[in-house]
Amino acid sequence: MKYTLILLCLFSLSLTSCKWDTTKGALKHGENLKNSIESFEKNRKKLSTNLVSTLEEAEESLSAEDPDLPKVSKDFEKEWTSIQNRYKKLKNDFEDVGKSSDDYFNELNTLSGSISKEELRKEELRKNKELRATWEKSFREAEVSINKVTTVLESGNDFHMVLVASSIRQKLEQNVNELKVISEQAKALLQDLEMFTKAGRDLVEG
């Protein structure tokens, strides 16, 4: 009898441990997605601030009566290299969000698929499918914006090459107003990406 009670206690503890492991695993996927989203948002903000301030400073320097083109070119190159590195981090964070969201939805479907009652199982899987469709729409829209940021940064690279050439010739041939255009385009696109962050937060926080 005593041996039977011990076995029952061990079995009960085993079930409790399994359930707790399931909960911890599910929460871990949600936490990973949340962390990747917050990292993305952190880099989005920094990129937006750095990019706009760099372009504005370059525009102001080049609009002076007698701009020091070699100095402006060197300063711009330094800041633009930093911006490029920040953008790489943003793209990496975006990929991490994609991977962690896949894991998140796979875990949801695994949990829902383990429900024994068929009607309830189908209902939960349907909810997961609808939620994922909404999320993937936001993800695709963000991907488009990120690709457009690439194009904007390429315009900045082109401007820098012209600026270097101008500094060698000691005259400015590039239209300084182009910097303002690049700045406004980048600012608008990075603001669009803030909606992606909101969608991600809504997903994991409810």
Side-chain angles (χ1 to χ4, degrees):
M1 181 68 179
K2 185 177 180 182
Y3 179 70
T4 303
L5 286 173
I6 292 174
L7 285 177
L8 286 172
C9 287
L10 289 173
F11 181 68
S12 176
L13 287 171
S14 176
L15 285 177
T16 302
S17 176
C18 289
K19 289 179 179 178
W20 176 233
D21 286 343
T22 300
T23 302
K24 284 196 297 184
L27 291 174
K28 181 181 178 182
H29 287 295
E31 194 63 28
N32 287 344
L33 177 55
K34 182 178 180 180
N35 289 338
S36 62
I37 289 168
E38 293 306 322
S39 181
F40 173 86
E41 175 61 9
K42 179 182 176 181
N43 274 312
R44 184 198 67 81
K45 285 182 176 178
K46 286 185 176 181
L47 177 61
S48 180
T49 300
N50 294 349
L51 198 154
V52 172
S53 64
T54 296
L55 292 171
E56 287 179 348
E57 287 172 10
E59 181 188 359
E60 182 179 349
S61 297
L62 292 170
S63 297
E65 186 174 341
D66 186 19
D68 185 344
L69 296 181
K71 183 180 184 306
V72 175
S73 178
K74 288 178 183 178
D75 290 344
F76 186 84
E77 181 175 0
K78 179 182 176 182
E79 294 302 324
W80 202 249
T81 300
S82 175
I83 286 169
Q84 297 280 17
N85 291 334
R86 178 67 62 184
Y87 179 58
K88 288 178 183 177
K89 290 180 181 179
L90 183 75
K91 289 182 72 175
N92 289 336
D93 284 342
F94 184 70
E95 290 178 3
D96 287 343
V97 171
K99 292 174 184 176
S100 57
S101 66
D102 284 341
D103 292 340
Y104 176 83
F105 283 108
N106 288 338
E107 179 68 13
L108 276 181
N109 286 332
T110 298
L111 291 170
S112 299
S114 66
I115 296 173
S116 56
K117 189 176 180 181
E118 183 179 3
E119 184 179 346
L120 180 59
R121 182 174 67 251
K122 287 182 177 179
E123 176 63 16
E124 288 300 303
L125 288 171
R126 182 190 63 79
K127 290 177 182 178
N128 295 345
K129 186 176 181 180
E130 290 179 355
L131 188 62
R132 185 162 196 166
T134 300
W135 166 250
E136 287 183 345
K137 181 176 181 292
S138 296
F139 190 86
R140 287 193 299 270
E141 289 173 351
E143 191 171 32
V144 170
S145 292
I146 285 178
N147 289 334
K148 286 182 179 178
V149 172
T150 302
T151 303
V152 171
L153 293 181
E154 286 173 353
S155 297
N157 291 337
D158 291 344
F159 184 90
H160 177 237
M161 292 302 101
V162 173
L163 184 58
V164 173
S166 297
S167 67
I168 295 173
R169 290 189 294 266
Q170 285 299 304
K171 63 177 183 177
L172 184 61
E173 296 180 343
Q174 185 78 338
N175 187 352
V176 176
N177 288 333
E178 185 179 337
L179 285 173
K180 185 177 291 185
V181 174
I182 296 172
S183 175
E184 291 300 322
Q185 288 176 340
K187 190 175 181 180
L189 289 168
L190 289 165
Q191 284 177 341
D192 288 344
L193 289 174
E194 187 175 5
M195 297 303 296
F196 174 67
T197 299
K198 183 180 183 304
R201 286 172 174 168
D202 289 344
L203 179 65
V204 294
E205 296 175 1

